[in-house]
Amino acid sequence: MAGADPTRTSWPEVVGIPATPAVMKIAHDRSDVAIEVLPDGIKVSKGFNPKRVRVFINAKESQGLVVKTPVVG
């Protein structure tokens, strides 16, 4: 895994992988953000939070694969 990158705001490379390694990658890069793992399609607040990353997964899939690019906000 490459070094931490505190300036990152998106992680397109984690789309299609299970939630746990995706969260580990994001936390490695940005230890300053809270990471929320949510089922795709759930309603969420629209407010922007620079200290949050939401990871949307396919909850019907046993591995919980990431289905959208996680972004800060």
Side-chain angles (χ1 to χ4, degrees):
M1 202 179 293
D5 183 356
T7 64
R8 285 211 58 187
T9 59
S10 68
W11 290 263
E13 72 275 15
V14 304
V15 173
I17 69 170
T20 300
V23 168
M24 291 172 55
K25 169 64 176 149
I26 296 165
H28 174 75
D29 287 345
R30 292 288 306 268
S31 61
D32 63 319
V33 298
I35 303 167
E36 300 175 0
V37 177
L38 303 164
D40 189 38
I42 194 169
K43 291 187 179 189
V44 295
S45 62
K46 295 186 186 256
F48 181 83
N49 180 343
K51 295 294 183 179
R52 174 182 63 210
V53 174
R54 289 178 172 154
V55 178
F56 291 96
I57 63 166
N58 180 349
K60 296 175 185 173
E61 162 66 38
S62 65
Q63 293 182 318
L65 300 179
V66 177
V67 295
K68 295 180 182 172
T69 299
V71 297
V72 169

